[in-house]
Amino acid sequence: QLEEASADFEKALKIDAQQVKAYVGRANYLSQVERYEEGLMLLTKVMQRFEDDDREIAELLMMRGKIFYQMGRFPPALTDFTNVIELCRKDKFSVAAARCARGVVLVQHGDLIRAKKQFDRVLRRFPEHPVATQAAQWLTDGQGDRPEILLPPDRMIRPTRPLVIAEPREIGATDAKWEAASPFDLWIVRTKNRREYGPVTKMMLD
């Protein structure tokens, strides 16, 4: 019931704009309906609201890393999960979740040795952790089918910005000057009193 969930997150944010879980939920909804770039933009935009709270930033980064992973954009996903580990050093549960996520990304990178080290570190803290146990076992003996958690994303989705388009002024003109259209660009305006507007196009901004 994705649309109903999204409506509830929107209502929650109208009541309290500092509800980080509502932002995470809203971004999760956007990824579920394959509006990945919007989800990334939402999470990145709201991070400045929680810049003094490591725990809240970690939640936003964890969700953003998951969206990057779903898109097949592994390097930024790895960076986000690594940052979660740094921000949540005192929270063993969050660190375990981020290490598992980091291990999954490393598997897709083909770095199986480093991936196994991530799962092993989780198992030292949580010996019965189901995801880490299953992943570490498969990485150790390579027997059987790859666990579902280690399967790559269904699709690799690259950034959706349209390409710059160039066309001659006159069809068939050999000496025509080529002019490129402006690339797709979105901006967010933040005023001195912390009000935000956007995202808007560069034309609208001007």
Side-chain angles (χ1 to χ4, degrees):
Q1 301 178 36
L2 296 177
E3 298 302 328
E4 291 86 346
S6 177
D8 280 352
F9 291 132
E10 291 290 347
K11 290 175 183 177
L13 290 171
K14 288 181 180 178
I15 296 170
D16 180 6
Q18 295 298 111
Q19 273 289 340
V20 69
K21 284 181 170 50
Y23 289 115
V24 170
R26 173 70 177 158
N28 190 21
Y29 157 76
L30 291 169
S31 70
Q32 293 293 326
V33 296
E34 300 184 3
R35 291 159 59 185
Y36 301 101
E37 292 284 350
E38 289 181 58
L40 294 176
M41 183 178 294
L42 170 66
L43 294 168
T44 304
K45 173 183 174 181
V46 301
M47 279 184 192
Q48 53 83 22
R49 298 182 182 216
F50 304 98
E51 55 193 1
D52 296 325
D53 191 322
D54 289 350
R55 175 65 196 177
E56 307 287 29
I57 289 290
E59 283 200 55
L60 297 170
L61 285 172
M62 193 70 182
M63 187 67 240
R64 193 174 73 172
K66 290 177 180 178
I67 295 178
F68 276 134
Y69 179 80
Q70 290 168 5
M71 299 175 74
R73 294 168 66 178
F74 302 135
L78 196 63
T79 298
D80 279 354
F81 296 142
T82 301
N83 287 332
V84 171
I85 294 170
E86 292 296 320
L87 291 169
C88 297
R89 287 184 176 278
K90 297 181 180 179
D91 183 346
K92 60 183 181 180
F93 298 104
S94 295
V95 169
R99 285 203 182 281
C100 282
R102 198 167 184 273
V104 171
V105 176
L106 289 169
V107 168
Q108 310 313 329
H109 262 303
D111 195 342
L112 304 186
I113 294 176
R114 289 176 63 203
K116 186 175 183 304
K117 287 181 179 178
Q118 295 298 310
F119 295 117
D120 286 343
R121 293 186 69 172
V122 173
L123 289 173
R124 283 200 292 270
R125 183 65 69 93
F126 301 101
E128 303 300 322
H129 195 288
V131 172
T133 299
Q134 191 178 22
Q137 184 64 38
W138 184 80
L139 289 167
T140 299
D141 56 33
Q143 299 298 314
D145 295 332
R146 179 183 294 204
E148 185 175 353
I149 188 66
L150 299 182
L151 293 176
D154 293 334
R155 290 183 294 167
M156 300 295 179
I157 303 167
R158 298 305 172 192
T160 56
R161 292 186 176 192
L163 298 173
V164 174
I165 300 171
E167 293 181 350
R169 291 180 179 178
E170 298 177 16
I171 296 176
T174 58
D175 59 347
K177 179 182 177 182
W178 287 71
E179 293 184 342
S182 297
F184 184 72
D185 212 351
L186 291 178
W187 293 71
I188 295 168
V189 181
R190 187 177 181 208
T191 64
K192 291 182 178 179
N193 62 357
R194 301 178 72 86
R195 296 191 65 181
E196 294 177 0
Y197 301 89
V200 296
T201 63
K202 184 64 166 64
M203 183 180 296
M204 179 71 75
L205 178 66
D206 292 338

